[in-house]
Amino acid sequence: MFCGTCGARIPDGSTFCPHCGARTVAASAPGPAHAAPRQAPGGAVGWAAGKINEMAGGSDQVELRFGNFFDAVFRRHSPGEADVLFSVGSPTTTPSITRVSRTWPHPWIYSRVFLVLLVAFVGLWILSSYFENPNGLPGLMFVGALLVPFSVTVFFFETNVPRNLGFARVIEIFFVGGVLSLLCIYPLDALLPGSGVGDFGPALLTGIIEELAKVAAIVVFVKRIGERNYVLTGLLVGAAVGAGFAAFETAGYIFNQGFLGGLGFTWDRMLDSMMDVTLLRAALAIGGHVVWAAAEGGALALADRGTGFSLSHLASRPFLVFLGISILLHALWDTYPLPLLDDVEIWDGVTLKYVLLIVIAWMAIAVLLHRGINEVNQLSAAALRAQREAPREPGAAPRPPRV
């Protein structure tokens, strides 16, 4: 079995994880399903999440466990814990469905990845700013563009509790899927001319084109998985595609601002201009392309239900609901100014509009995480029942007692 807190492989029936000390599912929740107690949704956020779930065909109460996203970040972790978590996805390291963690995950490695990239970014900024070394600029642009999107991808890697997708494949999806989705924009743009930013109409076309481009790349990789498409795995595939899209796009914006738009600038002014774009897009990346694409990938997997990918899933209710949410959020993101919402600036360039759109996007993600955890619980419980009810061969050793 695997620890639901740190993801480490631990002996079956363990009461506590020997790596992080957390109490295990087997100890904390008796019975075959080991379901964690439900938390009642609260306030407007809980109500909105319930409505999103209802529109996507769900009927149960949505658990909101945003605290799980951060509670393990500040704990002390051994160096081996990350190695264990990244060593998944192969035939020998992918657990059976009966052995995966069936509680809400407690990701933390994404914060360490963010810090590593941040240290590299600061070092490259010092090289470029204080020493005025132009060799640091390409790295500064790409690491700055990578900082948040790649960290969010690692977050979704940690929440993929089936552990059926190795990190090498995630890297492949990030790079190839990101470029593929960018290339898919051009034929779609030719079919749907008139996209742009500013007015809602052109912004809506931009949302349709770019989200469909990412969906095209997601479909390629979902089909390549070649097995049941878990909702949590679909979230990861979508996030990796969206992160690649976001990183390459942001790197392009930084280059345009610093060089193409900065001809005639002094070195300091050029670097300041590049940093403005880098920091603004890093702050907003937490709720942009990565999250929109993750919702699309999770919704596509939600339509799977164990049948394997089919083009008919693109017309399913769950997928169309979350695709519509992503397109609408994207359109509003590119529409400006929005009365009142764009008038309230929280930080340099970050307005109330962006904050609200980010919150809504993560409510959609919370719904899909909820549905994904429920899917794992149901499949695990069904597999355990099948094991218990399977006839034993004569002379076979008795089954171990349930824990």
Side-chain angles (χ1 to χ4, degrees):
M1 62 184 288
F2 289 77
C3 174
T5 299
C6 69
R9 186 187 294 275
I10 57 179
D12 292 349
S14 298
T15 303
F16 292 93
C17 173
H19 299 277
C20 67
R23 192 172 177 83
T24 65
V25 178
S28 59
H34 302 304
R38 294 195 176 277
Q39 293 183 356
V45 174
W47 176 85
K51 286 298 180 183
I52 293 173
N53 187 43
E54 184 179 327
M55 286 191 297
S59 57
D60 58 337
Q61 192 177 73
V62 177
E63 296 177 87
L64 296 176
R65 299 196 174 195
F66 294 114
N68 284 30
F69 299 167
F70 309 104
D71 61 358
V73 168
F74 302 103
R75 296 177 191 166
R76 188 168 185 173
H77 299 274
S78 66
E81 290 180 49
D83 295 334
V84 170
L85 183 58
F86 283 118
S87 301
V88 299
S90 73
T92 58
T93 58
T94 301
S96 68
I97 191 62
T98 59
R99 293 175 179 266
V100 303
S101 171
R102 284 167 277 163
T103 62
W104 272 64
H106 298 258
W108 61 273
I109 296 178
Y110 73 94
S111 64
R112 305 321 194 252
V113 171
F114 176 82
L115 288 175
V116 168
L117 291 172
L118 183 61
V119 168
F121 178 75
V122 171
L124 290 165
W125 177 77
I126 293 172
L127 182 67
S128 303
S129 178
Y130 284 91
F131 298 104
E132 297 189 357
N133 188 334
N135 292 334
L137 290 180
L140 182 68
M141 287 188 291
F142 191 67
V143 174
L146 202 67
L147 184 61
V148 174
F150 192 74
S151 301
V152 177
T153 302
V154 175
F155 167 88
F156 283 106
F157 178 75
E158 292 184 81
T159 60
N160 180 39
V161 296
R163 304 285 184 250
N164 59 331
L165 203 62
F167 199 67
R169 294 188 65 183
V170 174
I171 297 295
E172 174 193 352
I173 297 170
F174 175 89
F175 284 102
V176 179
V179 173
L180 179 60
S181 56
L182 286 169
L183 291 173
C184 287
I185 288 176
Y186 291 93
L188 290 169
D189 190 57
L191 291 172
L192 300 170
S195 62
V197 297
D199 293 336
F200 180 75
L204 180 61
L205 276 177
T206 299
I208 293 172
I209 290 169
E210 294 192 1
E211 296 313 312
L212 289 180
K214 284 180 279 186
V215 167
I218 291 169
V219 167
V220 170
F221 289 100
V222 165
K223 289 181 67 176
R224 289 188 62 196
I225 291 176
E227 57 189 36
R228 183 186 182 102
N229 293 307
Y230 296 100
V231 174
L232 298 174
T233 308
L235 283 165
L236 172 57
V237 172
V241 169
F245 185 104
F248 293 132
E249 183 183 61
T250 295
Y253 281 126
I254 298 169
F255 176 80
N256 287 333
Q257 186 72 16
F259 291 92
L260 300 184
L263 296 177
F265 282 5
T266 64
W267 179 268
D268 289 342
R269 187 178 175 190
M270 180 190 70
L271 193 60
D272 288 344
S273 180
M274 292 172 60
M275 289 297 295
D276 287 343
V277 175
T278 303
L279 295 177
L280 176 60
R281 289 187 65 86
L284 296 178
I286 189 68
H289 291 295
V290 189
V291 181
W292 301 333
E296 292 154 4
L300 195 61
L302 188 60
D304 187 308
R305 300 184 184 277
T307 60
F309 175 78
S310 168
L311 289 176
S312 63
H313 295 162
L314 297 172
S316 66
R317 177 179 173 182
F319 175 73
L320 292 177
V321 166
F322 285 99
L323 174 63
I325 290 173
S326 295
I327 289 174
L328 181 59
L329 293 175
H330 194 152
L332 293 173
W333 192 282
D334 287 346
T335 301
Y336 62 84
L338 279 182
L340 299 179
L341 296 182
D342 272 322
D343 295 333
V344 181
E345 189 172 57
I346 297 173
W347 184 66
D348 189 17
V350 180
T351 64
L352 180 60
K353 176 186 77 173
Y354 293 122
V355 173
L356 291 176
L357 294 178
I358 289 170
V359 169
I360 294 170
W362 277 98
M363 282 194 294
I365 294 298
V367 170
L368 286 166
L369 285 170
H370 166 82
R371 298 283 286 269
I373 294 297
N374 281 355
E375 176 189 43
V376 169
N377 271 278
Q378 292 165 7
L379 292 172
S380 181
L384 286 170
R385 283 197 302 270
Q387 287 181 3
R388 291 195 300 270
E389 295 169 1
R392 285 187 291 129
E393 296 181 2
R399 296 189 184 92
R402 282 168 46 191
V403 292

